[in-house]
């Protein structure tokens, strides 16, 4: 990243540190100095064995933060007496990577017992995933604590569905204090990873603002009925590289999801898409800035919540 954008990121982190007084990039420096290295090593190994896992971890952090803040609530599995968020429509049969976080947590627990929260591990893993796939880096503010509850209802209400248009998307992100620019930048995470047919079927069969050859090619693996979970890359050109090709795809009407193409459809986000498509550095810097902001949605700090022993369940 250019030094100017590094500097502005440091300023942003300093401002964010002031706004969320208890979070700090050096939170574990004394209490668990090896935590960041353990997370980074494990994420790199996971991405080496399956590049898509980097995408899944970034999405998991997003799905954590948008539901009652970044508190690890998405990681809590359902039990006979506990209903978590994993069965909510935006997550069911779709979120991945919880096993990777569980394994990292076990490694961190082995060296620093009940010190590093699952919410923080997820925030760092998201950053390390982006870096492992060639994207920008940023200092992750730390010190979040883990929730003791989860909300399936809030997951259904607060996570935007792929059927949203620009107005709905803007409102959904504004509800989390994220701007239009943040929303367009964060959607650039769709430069990596895959989507199931059930989320883009209507777009490829029924929408007009789609490149014809692109739609035709996708239909082979995503029939009008059946094949609901068949996968297609969200970025048709460079699926496993964290770059700015996503935005060029939108300009060519090759956005996979309705909500992707909504960002470049003659509306108020067009200019931001054009600017991110024409400058990888501009996108990288906006993405890093927006990830810091998203990572700081309603953190639990101080005596709120707990440090879970195992990320998938509340301490007994
Ligand atoms: C703007 C609103 C958004 C909508 C409507 C949306 C919707 C979706 C959908 C439907 C999928 C496919 C899931 C599946 O097939 O199982 C997906 C995948 C993904 N999303 Fe989003 N998303 C949005 C924003 C974001 C944001 C803000 C991030 C992260 C910063 C993100 C990161 C990802 C990633 C990396 C994947 C691929 C995951 C994988 O391959 O496992 N998305 N998204």
């Amino acid at each position: 990243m250019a030094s100017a954008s590094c500097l502005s990121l440091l300023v942003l982190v300093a401002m964010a540190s002031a706004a969320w007084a208890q979070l700090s990039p050096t939170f574990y420096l004394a209490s668990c100095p090896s935590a960041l290295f353990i997370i980074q090593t494990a994420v790199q190994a996971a991405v080496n064995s399956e590049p898509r896992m980097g995408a899944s971890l970034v999405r998991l952090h997003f799905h954590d933060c948008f539901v009652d803040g970044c508190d690890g609530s998405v990681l809590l599995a359902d039990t006979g007496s506990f209903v978590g968020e994993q069965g909510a429509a935006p997550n069911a049969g779709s979120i991945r990577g919880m096993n990777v976080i569980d394994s990292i947590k076990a490694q961190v627990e082995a060296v620093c017992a009940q010190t590093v929260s699952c919410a923080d591990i997820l925030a760092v893993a998201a950053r390390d995933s982006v870096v492992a796939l060639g994207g920008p880096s940023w200092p992750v503010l730390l010190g979040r604590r883990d929730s003791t509850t989860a909300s399936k209802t809030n997951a259904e209400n607060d996570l935007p569905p792929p059927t949203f248009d620009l107005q709905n998307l803007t409102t959904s992100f504004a509800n989390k204090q994220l701007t239009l620019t943040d929303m367009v930048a964060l959607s650039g995470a769709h430069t990596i990873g895959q989507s199931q047919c059930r989320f883009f079927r209507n777009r490829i069969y029924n929408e007009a603002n789609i490149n014809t050859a692109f739609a035709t090619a996708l239909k082979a693996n995503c029939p009008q009925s059946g094949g609901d979970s068949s996968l297609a890359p969200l970025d048709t050109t460079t699926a496993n590289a964290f770059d700015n090709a996503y935005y060029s795809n939108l300009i060519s009407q090759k956005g996979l999801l309705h909500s992707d193409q909504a960002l470049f459809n003659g509306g108020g986000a067009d200019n931001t898409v054009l600017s991110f498509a024409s400058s990888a550095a501009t996108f990288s810097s906006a993405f890093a800035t927006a990830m810091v902001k998203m990572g700081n949605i309603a953190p639990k700090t101080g005596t709120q919540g707990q440090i879970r022993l195992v990320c998938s369940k509340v301490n007994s």
Side-chain angles (χ1 to χ4, degrees):
M1 204 186 312
S3 59
S5 45
C6 248
L7 186 65
S8 57
L9 205 60
L10 281 175
V11 171
L12 182 97
V13 167
M15 284 162 54
S17 299
W20 293 280
Q22 297 94 330
L23 294 192
S24 142
T26 55
F27 192 82
Y28 298 113
L29 201 59
S31 60
C32 193
S34 55
L36 294 190
F37 179 73
I38 293 170
I39 300 168
Q40 195 253 325
T41 306
V43 167
Q44 185 67 58
V47 171
N48 286 349
S49 77
E50 187 207 5
R52 185 185 174 198
M53 186 50 69
S56 304
L57 292 172
V58 173
R59 183 169 188 240
L60 204 50
H61 179 49
F62 163 50
H63 282 215
D64 183 24
C65 294
F66 261 52
V67 185
D68 300 327
C70 314
D71 60 2
S73 57
V74 71
L75 301 169
L76 292 172
D78 286 10
T79 68
S81 57
F82 181 87
V83 178
E85 294 163 15
Q86 296 179 2
N91 292 331
S94 176
I95 48 166
R96 308 170 74 241
M98 292 77 82
N99 53 338
V100 172
I101 298 299
D102 284 344
S103 148
I104 295 175
K105 172 66 170 171
Q107 292 177 55
V108 173
E109 281 297 304
V111 290
C112 313
Q114 215 171 355
T115 305
V116 182
S117 68
C118 298
D120 277 348
I121 290 175
L122 192 47
V124 174
R127 189 270 315 270
D128 292 345
S129 293
V130 169
V131 172
L133 293 168
S137 189
W138 60 90
V140 180
L141 294 181
L142 300 165
R144 300 168 189 81
R145 290 169 64 83
D146 297 322
S147 69
T148 53
T149 58
S151 173
K152 188 179 176 198
T153 306
N154 290 350
E156 306 209 307
N157 289 336
D158 290 6
L159 289 166
T163 48
F164 266 11
D165 60 19
L166 183 60
Q167 183 56 55
N168 295 142
L169 290 168
T170 306
T171 304
S172 165
F173 280 67
N175 288 342
K176 304 294 170 190
Q177 273 69 56
L178 295 166
T179 66
L180 179 74
T181 304
D182 295 330
M183 190 268 285
V184 176
L186 288 169
S187 298
H190 289 178
T191 178
I192 51 173
Q194 311 267 329
S195 173
Q196 298 171 61
C197 161
R198 62 190 169 105
F199 295 119
F200 62 82
R201 177 184 286 118
N202 187 59
R203 170 155 172 73
I204 62 174
Y205 287 97
N206 299 321
E207 296 190 348
N209 62 347
I210 188 166
N211 176 285
T212 310
F214 176 64
T216 304
L218 288 163
K219 287 174 187 171
N221 248 336
C222 183
Q224 246 165 335
S225 84
D228 277 15
S229 54
S230 297
L231 296 172
L234 284 155
D235 170 354
T236 188
T237 48
T238 52
N240 291 327
F242 197 101
D243 57 18
N244 63 339
Y246 168 80
Y247 300 101
S248 306
N249 295 337
L250 298 185
I251 293 167
S252 317
Q253 297 199 310
K254 292 180 183 169
L256 186 63
L257 305 178
H258 174 88
S259 52
D260 291 324
Q261 197 60 55
L263 304 182
F264 192 81
N265 194 33
D270 281 15
N271 284 338
T272 312
V273 169
L274 288 167
S275 112
F276 292 164
S278 68
S279 167
T282 304
F283 164 56
S284 288
S285 154
F287 183 80
T289 297
M291 283 296 280
V292 172
K293 284 175 76 172
M294 187 179 85
N296 286 290
I297 298 173
K300 292 179 170 58
T301 55
T303 55
Q304 296 171 310
Q306 62 181 205
I307 303 296
R308 271 182 229 146
L309 294 165
V310 171
C311 292
S312 59
K313 59 178 194 181
V314 172
N315 298 341
S316 47

